[in-house]
């Protein structure tokens, strides 16, 4: 049997390794655009279904399986009738079973969001000369557009993090655009600079948290900013209601209420893609690197403002997006303008004049216009607005889901029975009907479990191994703002939008102390459906059991979260 796996990210590596283990007599080929692969190791098992994982890097030649062939290349198509994977260099890889784990590409700002600046030196002159036919045909403002695009960095993979780290030492003003996991970690990790956080939603971390949990994390961010540079921050008592020290908020709806169960989730995690990626996000050769994984912000140095002793600040802009981006030039004084005109008169017009004089004395900044009408002047824009499955090279004959992933059945098979999919490439639409407390979210923890389960299905062993237990309960462990975050079940009321409001109860608590913790639990007709745990609560296994066993605990009411009530002893 010939197995081919596409993708050197978590899903692909886990699938290939599991196939080698399950089918030592079969040949397994792993196709990756990058020589460095992403795998996972288990740091701690917190409960029956919950594991804390760590991403680890492996090289193509380090996987110790005699039946594994490593192929460095980019998938460009599939010959479904001839059962062959097509690579960009012209190679054909025949297969009996193919698993697509190609990851996702980062979403970008639309092309028309980048605009040429009318302030650019020589811009008006160039337009006039172009209209008079005295210059070669050249798109007006092309250089300015290119420079603006270069200052918008998509944070998606390890390569983009390395480029960001190299830029930060000279940066003082940054805009972070996005509201998922990467944006949350960016805001907490950017030190020594003025940060403006542009959020599409009404509270931070909308992809993961409700309003209560978001407020708890905002307070944690406030505390971190106080510790980093108290001399730069106002005290909480001096702030207007709804603002935090060092964290100013604009655009939040007055009287904002907790989000309703079942609200659409904006999934912003991703993994490795072996295909080409959009401008501003690609590494050498235009090929995606691997997803950043956890704790990547530790690689980031302090920004330029740290040299003056400032911890920086964070300004929040709620409920808006970026409408346009353009360069912003500081206007030269009268003497500089006269010298510039004299130089142009002596040298004559030149097609390169605009580029040479684009910044007479200072690097231009970026001017962002937001959909709420506000304008921001920044040095750098960090974009983390989500991902989409990287499947442009896959034949249209394979059925796709509405989110762009390949629609798979309970055995991870696509509409072609010989082609499987896992991780970001798969769309598990079947889960809505077959799994009461699991739903798909594009996270590398799910990429791991899907990759392993797809291997079991390809080997025909899914009914013998129980690998499908990973789809019984949604679980995810991560870290935000230095705190462990555990998400269990329908933690934000996913799929409960049609249930009567009186049947749903939500309880939350904040425990003060040396380390503050947050617990939120959601019940439907007295039975726990999901939970959010922030900090070291030691309640993971308890709530996992309550969700899986569906015991009626409605009689306890809010006392369920009373710190003096030994919940773990009663329900473990």
């Amino acid at each position: 049997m010939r197995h081919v796996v596409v993708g050197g990210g978590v899903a692909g590596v886990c699938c290939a390794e599991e196939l080698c283990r399950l089918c030592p007599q079969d040949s397994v080929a792993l196709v990756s655009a990058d020589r460095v692969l992403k795998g996972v190791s288990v740091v701690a098992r917190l409960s029956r279904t919950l594991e804390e994982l760590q991403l680890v890097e492996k090289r193509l030649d380090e996987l110790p399986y005699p039946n594994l062939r490593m192929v460095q290349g980019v998938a460009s198509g599939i010959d479904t009738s001839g059962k062959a994977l097509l690579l960009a260099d012209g190679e054909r890889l025949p297969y009996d079973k193919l698993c697509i784990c190609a990851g996702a590409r980062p979403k970008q700002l639309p092309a028309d969001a980048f605009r040429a600046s009318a302030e650019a030196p020589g811009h008006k002159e160039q337009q006039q000369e172009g209209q008079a036919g005295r210059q070669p045909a050249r798109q007006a403002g092309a250089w300015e557009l290119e420079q603006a695009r270069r200052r918008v960095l998509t944070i998606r993979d390890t390569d983009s993090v390395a480029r960001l780290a190299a830029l930060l030492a000279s940066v003082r003003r940054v805009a972070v655009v996005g509201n998922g996991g990467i944006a949350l970690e960016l805001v907490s990790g950017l030190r020594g600079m003025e940060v403006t956080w542009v959020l599409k939603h009404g509270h931070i971390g909308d992809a993961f948290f409700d309003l209560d949990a978001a407020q708890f994390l905002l307070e944690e961010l406030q505390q971190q900013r106080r510790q980093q540079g108290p001399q730069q921050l106002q005290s909480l008592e001096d702030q207007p209601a709804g603002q935090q020290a060092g964290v100013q908020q604009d655009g939040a709806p007055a009287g904002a209420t907790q989000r309703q169960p079942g609200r659409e989730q904006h999934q912003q995690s991703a993994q490795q893609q072996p295909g080409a990626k959009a401008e501003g996000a690609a590494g050498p050769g235009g090929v995606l690197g691997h997803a950043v994984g956890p704790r990547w912000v530790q690689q980031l140095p302090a920004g330029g403002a740290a040299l003056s002793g400032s911890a920086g600040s964070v300004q929040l802009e709620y409920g808006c997006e970026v409408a346009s981006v353009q360069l912003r030039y500081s206007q030269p004084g009268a003497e500089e303008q006269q010298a510039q005109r004299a130089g142009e008169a002596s040298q004559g017009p030149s097609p390169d004049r605009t580029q040479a004089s684009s910044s007479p004395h200072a690097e231009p900044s970026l001017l962002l216009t937001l959909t709420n009408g506000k304008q921001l002047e920044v040095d750098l824009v960090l974009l983390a607005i989500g991902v989409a499955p990287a499947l442009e090279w896959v034949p249209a004959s394979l059925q796709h889901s509405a989110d762009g992933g390949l629609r798979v059945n309970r055995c991870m098979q696509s509409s072609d029975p010989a082609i499987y999919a896992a991780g970001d490439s798969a769309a598990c639409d079947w889960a809505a009907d077959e799994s009461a407390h699991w739903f798909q979210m594009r996270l590398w923890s799910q990429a791991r479990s899907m990759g392993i389960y797809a291997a079991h299905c390809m080997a025909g062993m899914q009914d013998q191994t129980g690998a499908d237990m990973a789809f019984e309960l949604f679980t995810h462990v991560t870290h935000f703002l230095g705190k462990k975050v555990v998400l269990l079940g329908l933690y934000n009321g996913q799929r409960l939008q049609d249930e009567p409001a009186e049947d749903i109860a939500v309880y939350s608590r904040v425990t003060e102390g040396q380390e503050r913790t947050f617990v939120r639990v959601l019940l439907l007709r007295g039975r726990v459906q999901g939970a959010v745990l922030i900090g070291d609560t030691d309640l993971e296994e308890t709530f996992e059991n309550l969700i899986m066993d569906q015991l009626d605990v409605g009689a306890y009411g809010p006392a369920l979260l009373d710190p003096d009530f030994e919940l773990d002893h009663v329900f473990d």
Side-chain angles (χ1 to χ4, degrees):
M1 183 74 70
R2 298 167 301 180
H3 303 286
V4 175
V5 180
V6 180
V10 172
V13 172
C14 289
C15 181
E17 288 188 305
E18 194 72 0
L19 278 170
C20 291
R21 187 182 68 83
L22 295 172
C23 309
Q25 304 305 317
D26 295 347
S27 68
V28 180
L30 175 60
V31 180
S32 173
D34 200 320
R35 291 195 59 81
V36 179
L37 310 176
K38 278 288 186 179
V40 295
S41 63
V42 178
V43 175
R45 179 173 288 276
L46 304 180
S47 66
R48 178 175 42 165
T49 64
L50 191 63
E51 295 175 329
E52 188 168 2
L53 306 174
Q54 179 179 355
L55 265 67
V56 294
E57 291 188 345
K58 306 177 182 182
R59 293 192 62 81
L60 276 174
D61 51 3
E62 288 181 351
L63 299 183
Y65 301 99
N67 60 330
L68 178 63
R69 176 192 173 195
M70 309 303 301
V71 179
Q72 185 172 4
V74 175
S76 60
I78 304 173
D79 179 358
T80 55
S81 59
K83 286 192 172 183
L85 176 70
L86 311 180
L87 301 185
D89 62 3
E91 184 178 358
R92 291 171 60 93
L93 291 180
Y95 65 82
D96 295 304
K97 293 183 179 179
L98 169 69
C99 188
I100 299 175
C101 307
R105 55 174 171 76
K107 295 180 180 178
Q108 304 288 329
L109 294 177
D112 59 4
F114 294 91
R115 301 176 185 175
S117 173
E119 300 175 351
H123 178 78
K124 292 182 179 179
E125 292 83 351
Q126 181 186 355
Q127 282 188 323
Q128 294 170 355
E129 292 180 358
Q131 292 171 358
R134 292 196 299 269
Q135 275 193 2
R138 176 172 175 262
Q139 181 181 357
W143 183 82
E144 285 78 16
L145 292 174
E146 176 64 21
Q147 293 304 306
R149 292 190 184 99
R150 289 176 180 270
R151 308 268 283 279
V152 177
L153 181 62
T154 300
I155 303 301
R156 164 64 180 79
D157 55 17
T158 49
D159 291 339
S160 60
V161 172
R163 291 198 299 277
L164 171 61
L167 290 171
L168 286 182
S170 59
V171 167
R172 290 177 177 269
R173 301 165 299 178
V174 174
V176 175
V177 183
N179 198 17
I182 289 180
L184 276 167
E185 294 187 85
L186 265 174
V187 172
S188 67
L190 293 174
R191 295 165 288 118
M193 63 195 74
E194 300 171 14
V195 179
T196 302
W197 189 359
V198 180
L199 302 88
K200 179 181 179 180
H201 311 101
H203 62 264
I204 69 171
D206 180 88
F208 297 98
F209 306 115
D210 75 322
L211 189 59
D212 291 342
Q215 182 61 31
F216 175 83
L217 286 175
L218 198 59
E219 293 169 0
E220 289 298 309
L221 180 59
Q222 160 214 342
Q223 182 63 25
Q224 288 185 10
R225 291 285 165 174
R226 277 203 185 104
Q227 293 172 353
Q228 290 172 356
Q231 73 279 7
Q232 299 294 324
L233 307 176
Q234 300 177 11
S235 69
L236 183 61
E237 291 76 18
D238 294 335
Q239 291 278 13
Q243 291 189 359
Q244 305 296 329
V247 183
Q248 300 182 12
Q249 311 170 59
D250 285 333
T257 58
Q258 184 171 311
R259 119 170 114 183
Q260 295 299 312
R263 179 173 173 178
E264 178 186 359
Q265 300 300 296
H266 298 271
Q267 301 155 349
Q268 300 192 344
S269 296
Q271 67 170 39
Q272 190 262 0
Q273 169 198 348
K277 74 176 178 178
E279 181 178 358
V287 175
L288 271 175
H290 298 294
V292 292
R295 306 178 189 270
W296 56 274
V297 293
Q298 296 174 0
Q299 304 175 37
L300 301 181
L307 298 176
S308 61
S310 170
S313 61
V314 179
Q315 172 82 20
L316 278 70
E317 294 288 347
Y318 289 105
C320 60
E321 300 177 75
V322 174
S324 66
V325 182
Q326 64 188 68
L327 294 184
R328 178 70 177 270
Y329 293 86
S330 57
Q331 296 298 325
E335 294 181 2
E336 289 86 349
Q337 291 182 14
Q338 184 176 358
Q340 183 177 341
R341 286 194 296 269
E344 291 175 353
S346 63
Q347 298 178 24
S350 167
D352 296 330
R353 178 76 57 228
T354 302
Q355 180 170 342
S357 62
S358 291
S359 181
H361 295 281
E363 186 76 12
S365 59
L366 282 180
L367 181 66
L368 268 64
T369 301
L370 307 182
T371 53
N372 63 5
K374 292 188 177 181
Q375 290 189 319
L376 309 174
E377 188 171 351
V378 299
D379 304 313
L380 186 66
V381 176
L382 304 179
L383 200 63
I385 56 176
V387 298
L391 298 172
E392 296 84 357
W393 56 277
V394 173
S397 58
L398 297 180
Q399 292 183 10
H400 288 66
S401 183
D403 67 358
L406 287 176
R407 183 175 286 121
V408 296
N409 61 19
R410 191 67 170 80
C411 294
M412 309 304 289
Q413 289 173 299
S414 71
S415 53
D416 183 330
I419 300 178
Y420 297 70
D424 292 352
S425 297
C428 299
D429 295 343
W430 54 265
D433 299 321
E434 298 186 31
S435 184
H437 296 102
W438 186 90
F439 60 94
Q440 184 176 5
M441 200 170 183
R442 288 191 162 86
L443 305 167
W444 53 268
S445 56
Q446 284 196 359
R448 171 182 179 257
S449 59
M450 282 191 199
I452 292 174
Y453 179 62
H456 285 243
C457 294
M458 294 170 74
M461 299 181 182
Q462 68 273 18
D463 295 331
Q464 307 168 29
T465 59
D468 60 345
M469 286 185 60
F471 300 97
E472 292 184 4
L473 177 67
F474 175 92
T475 62
H476 185 60
V477 185
T478 187
H479 289 80
F480 290 133
L481 302 178
K483 286 189 171 293
K484 181 173 71 176
V485 176
V486 176
L487 308 175
L488 295 171
L490 310 181
Y491 64 91
N492 252 353
Q494 294 88 349
R495 302 185 190 160
L496 301 183
Q497 64 270 25
D498 296 329
E499 296 289 348
E502 59 270 18
D503 290 348
I504 298 176
V506 179
Y507 306 120
S508 62
R509 83 171 191 212
V510 174
T511 303
E512 303 291 346
Q514 186 173 2
E515 182 186 358
R516 300 171 73 236
T517 63
F518 174 89
V519 178
R520 178 180 183 268
V521 60
L522 186 148
L523 286 74
L524 175 65
R525 290 183 281 276
R527 292 170 169 81
V528 179
Q529 303 300 310
V532 177
L533 313 174
I534 305 178
D536 292 321
T537 66
D538 294 324
L539 292 173
E540 297 91 349
E541 189 169 8
T542 299
F543 282 114
E544 176 193 81
N545 291 337
L546 287 174
I547 296 171
M548 299 288 285
D549 298 339
Q550 286 296 282
L551 296 176
D552 189 345
V553 295
Y556 292 96
L560 196 65
L561 298 186
D562 190 332
D564 296 326
F565 180 58
E566 296 184 341
L567 183 65
D568 52 342
H569 292 170
V570 175
F571 296 114
D572 258 356

